[in-house]
C-alpha cells in the first residue's frame, strides 16, 4: 500500500475512533501532498510523499525550538505530538553503520574523490536514503568522508 493510501485509510480510522488530534495531522499531511501535486501538476510517488512528510517534520522541529525559546511549552508539546504522528509514516531509519556503508558505496559508485563531487554523491544518496536519514546529518557525514 502506498504511503498516500495509508494516510487516507488512517484518516478514516481516526474519524471512526474520534481521535481528533491524529485526524488533524493526517489531514494536514494530505493537504500538503495535494497542494504539491496541484502545484507541480503530477501525481506524487512514495518517494516524493516521504519528502513532503520529512519537510513537515523539519518545520515542526524548527517550530519546537522557537516555542521553547519563547517559553511556550504547550505549543512545543503539540508540535512534538504532530512529529510523532508523521514519523509513523517514514520507513525505519538507517543505523550509523548502515549509513556509513551506504555513503561509502555511493562514493565508490559515483567515483567521487573530492568535495567537488559532493553534489553527485548527495543526489544519489537522496534517492536511497529518502525518509530513512536526516539529510543534514547525511550531508555532514559525506563532507567529513570526502574531506578526510
Amino acid at each position: 500500500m502506498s504511503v498516500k493510501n495509508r494516510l487516507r485509510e488512517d484518516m478514516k480510522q481516526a474519524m471512526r475512533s474520534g481521535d481528533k488530534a491524529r485526524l488533524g495531522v493526517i489531514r494536514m499531511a494530505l493537504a500538503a501532498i495535494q497542494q504539491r501535486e496541484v502545484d507541480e501538476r503530477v501525481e506524487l510517488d512514495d518517494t516524493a510523499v516521504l519528502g513532503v512528510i520529512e519537510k513537515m517534520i523539519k518545520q515542526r522541529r524548527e517550530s519546537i525550538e522557537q516555542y521553547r525559546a519563547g517559553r511556550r511549552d504547550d505549543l512545543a508539546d503539540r508540535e512534538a505530538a504532530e512529529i510523532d504522528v508523521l514519523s509513523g509514516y517514514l520507513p525505519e531509519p538507517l543505523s550509523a553503520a548502515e549509513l556509513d556503508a551506504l555513503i561509502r558505496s555511493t562514493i565508490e559508485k559515483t567515483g567521487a574523490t573530492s568535495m567537488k563531487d559532493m553534489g553527485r554523491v548527495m543526489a544519489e544518496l537522496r534517492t536511497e536514503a529518502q525518509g530513512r536519514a536526516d539529510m543534514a546529518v547525511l550531508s555532514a557525514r559525506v563532507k567529513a568522508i570526502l574531506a578526510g
Side-chain angles (χ1 to χ4, degrees):
M1 176 183 295
S2 73
V3 177
K4 202 168 24 170
N5 287 337
R6 213 170 103 212
L7 279 163
R8 288 184 185 122
E9 290 301 316
D10 288 352
M11 181 177 70
K12 291 175 191 173
Q13 184 60 36
M15 278 191 248
R16 286 186 202 111
S17 67
D19 188 349
K20 292 184 181 188
R22 184 172 179 79
L23 178 62
V25 174
I26 293 171
R27 281 183 171 162
M28 197 176 342
L30 285 170
I33 292 165
Q34 186 176 11
Q35 182 63 50
R36 184 149 167 225
E37 286 179 338
V38 168
D39 290 347
E40 296 178 12
R41 293 187 176 116
V42 294
E43 175 121 7
L44 297 181
D45 60 354
D46 275 354
T47 305
V49 170
L50 290 176
V52 171
I53 293 172
E54 280 183 326
K55 182 178 178 182
M56 292 176 74
I57 290 172
K58 182 179 178 187
Q59 289 169 339
R60 275 144 191 79
R61 285 190 180 127
E62 291 169 357
S63 295
I64 287 172
E65 289 176 25
Q66 297 287 324
Y67 290 142
R68 297 257 189 248
R71 298 185 183 165
R72 293 297 309 264
D73 291 335
D74 56 325
L75 296 175
D77 293 342
R78 192 175 75 201
E79 295 287 325
E82 289 179 6
I83 288 174
D84 290 342
V85 172
L86 292 170
S87 295
Y89 295 98
L90 296 178
E92 191 68 32
L94 293 169
S95 69
E98 291 172 323
L99 197 56
D100 284 339
L102 180 63
I103 290 170
R104 291 190 189 287
S105 70
T106 304
I107 288 173
E108 287 177 23
K109 187 171 27 172
T110 59
T113 56
S114 68
M115 288 298 292
K116 287 189 244 177
D117 304 317
M118 185 163 170
R120 280 189 296 154
V121 174
M122 286 303 295
E124 185 77 25
L125 282 171
R126 188 167 284 116
T127 59
E128 296 193 31
Q130 184 74 45
R132 301 183 67 200
D134 183 356
M135 290 299 146
V137 171
L138 190 68
S139 176
R141 285 191 164 179
V142 170
K143 278 182 188 174
I145 291 171
L146 287 176

